[in-house]
Amino acid sequence: MKTSLNSFELYLCFCVWTFSNIYSLYKLIKAQTDVLQREDLSSLRDLQPGWTFISRYKDVSDIEWSSWKYFFQTSWYYLIIQFMISEIIRKLFASWLKYWYIMSTVIFITMGMGLRQMIIISVQPVIYAFIINFGGNKFTIWLTSILLLLSYNSLKYKYFFWNFLDHDDMQDEEVYLILFSVAWIELRCISYCIDFIDKQSSWKKYSNLTFQDVINMFSYVLYLPLLYTGPIILYEEFEKSFNVIGGFRTKLRKFIWDMMFYLTYTICLDVAFHYIYFFAMQNNMELIRKLPSIALCGGGLWMGLQFHMKYVISYGTTSSFARLDNIEPPPTPRCIARVHVYSEMWRHFDVGLYKFLVKYIYKPGYNTISKYSSIPKTAHKLLASLATFTFIFMWHGTVWHILVWSFLNYVGITLEHLGKVVSTHEKYQWFKTSILKTDKMEARFIGLLCTPLLALSAISNFYLFAGSEIGNLFFECFSQPSMLNLILLGTTLYCCCQVSMALQNVPSRSVVKKC
């Protein structure tokens, strides 16, 4: 518990925050129904007939969600067969296991999608292997990574690239899965290469790649359960799995339980898509502009909740298969409804990506800046954060709304860090002792300070979830709010801050407790 508020005040904040969420979603559904009653639903291309027993249209606009479902529906049986064969090899011929990981992925891609797709997936690890085989250093790795990201972000919008990937009997979801895999493969290539270079440096021995090094790299980069949708697992974590002896029944019991849980989540999310059309309505922004402020807040909440559930399900299911192979994946994303500051969102939403960014970009960047610069320590951290968010922007896609999202996140992280610096200053300590006087008052004061930061965090994420038009619309609505809306929104976000601080040390359900 990070808050000093008494239980009654905390319970009151929890009730206000929970009621506000439910009420805003209710107003969204009601306002959406009123708006769409006067429209031809067939004009919204992302509304398609849903489940027959519900007899409603369904929002199918989220390509990530449909691609993940396609991958799981077409591969679950193959992943189970892969695990069964892996378990036999693990018991009888453990040294062959990495060969099987590579072979099973090659079979799955070439038989299911085609040779062209296998070529696209293999290009990056081949390039990186070539670089470190001929003595490439970290600078070369990062320069190559930047060039590959720029090339990928340019090519994925070109017709000839899509034409190369696509063919007559290939589903759109398969093409998107290949595009998603390229981004994840780059992270795994970077992780392996930098770890390889660090190992060579620690041994003070520089040699070419051996055949076993190539097998180590490709078994990690092409590991099938995590190939298309993540999450990212660092190479060192992947290697640990080969030294772990897991009980078969224990793993299987947890796997079945987890899959039942994620299946339930999947059904709930698909049902929700039959009733909430906020994403589909974005094809016609005039429909969105007709929504009242409270309904618009409900739309923002829905985008966050849908984004959270989507990644809990996609990361959770693939991680469950990885756990069968004794790989300990990162925890599933923490619910966005109980996170109030940027650092906590980055630390606890995509934990694997956070670990990657800290290990390979932030810490090395901070150490390098500290070594060659005499500027204040705070500036070191801010510059290292800037380098990190530059990579985040390039990895997610070099388009305008991603740039705005990345920039606002960096601004939020900067403000948060400056606030922490101020809190250690002697003048703040005097203010705390003489003015605030009690821990309860300080908790209330911190909640007030975090309230506008939470609003900025929400709006910045709307750029990621839905693009520039939606993000700009929310900025327009909240830049000049009425006094009533300002009070209602401020009170609601303040209550969220207090609930978030109280739950800060409560982990997500997938965190493994270690003895």
Side-chain angles (χ1 to χ4, degrees), residues 20-22 24-26 28-29 32 59 61-62 65 265-282 288 294-310 336-337 462 465-466 474:
S20 300
N21 287 340
I22 296 173
S24 65
L25 289 175
Y26 163 75
L28 170 64
I29 296 174
Q32 159 200 288
D59 188 340
S61 55
D62 192 330
W65 176 243
Y265 253 42
T266 301
I267 294 172
C268 290
L269 186 53
D270 267 339
V271 168
F273 279 129
H274 286 78
Y275 292 91
I276 303 178
Y277 303 146
F278 190 73
F279 282 103
M281 290 171 65
Q282 291 169 25
I288 299 292
I294 296 180
L296 200 59
C297 290
L301 175 65
W302 165 242
M303 289 193 292
L305 292 176
Q306 185 268 346
F307 189 79
H308 167 254
M309 289 185 67
K310 175 175 67 177
I336 57 98
F462 298 156
F465 301 155
F474 274 91

Side-chain angles (χ1 to χ4, degrees), residues 99-133:
Y99 297 89
W100 165 242
Y101 284 168
I102 298 172
M103 186 172 70
S104 65
T105 301
V106 172
I107 293 173
F108 179 83
I109 296 172
T110 53
M111 298 295 289
M113 295 185 180
L115 184 60
R116 292 182 181 182
Q117 288 67 35
M118 189 66 234
I119 292 173
I120 292 294
I121 284 177
S122 302
V123 165
Q124 287 188 102
V126 169
I127 292 174
Y128 281 98
F130 181 84
I131 290 172
I132 59 176
N133 184 61

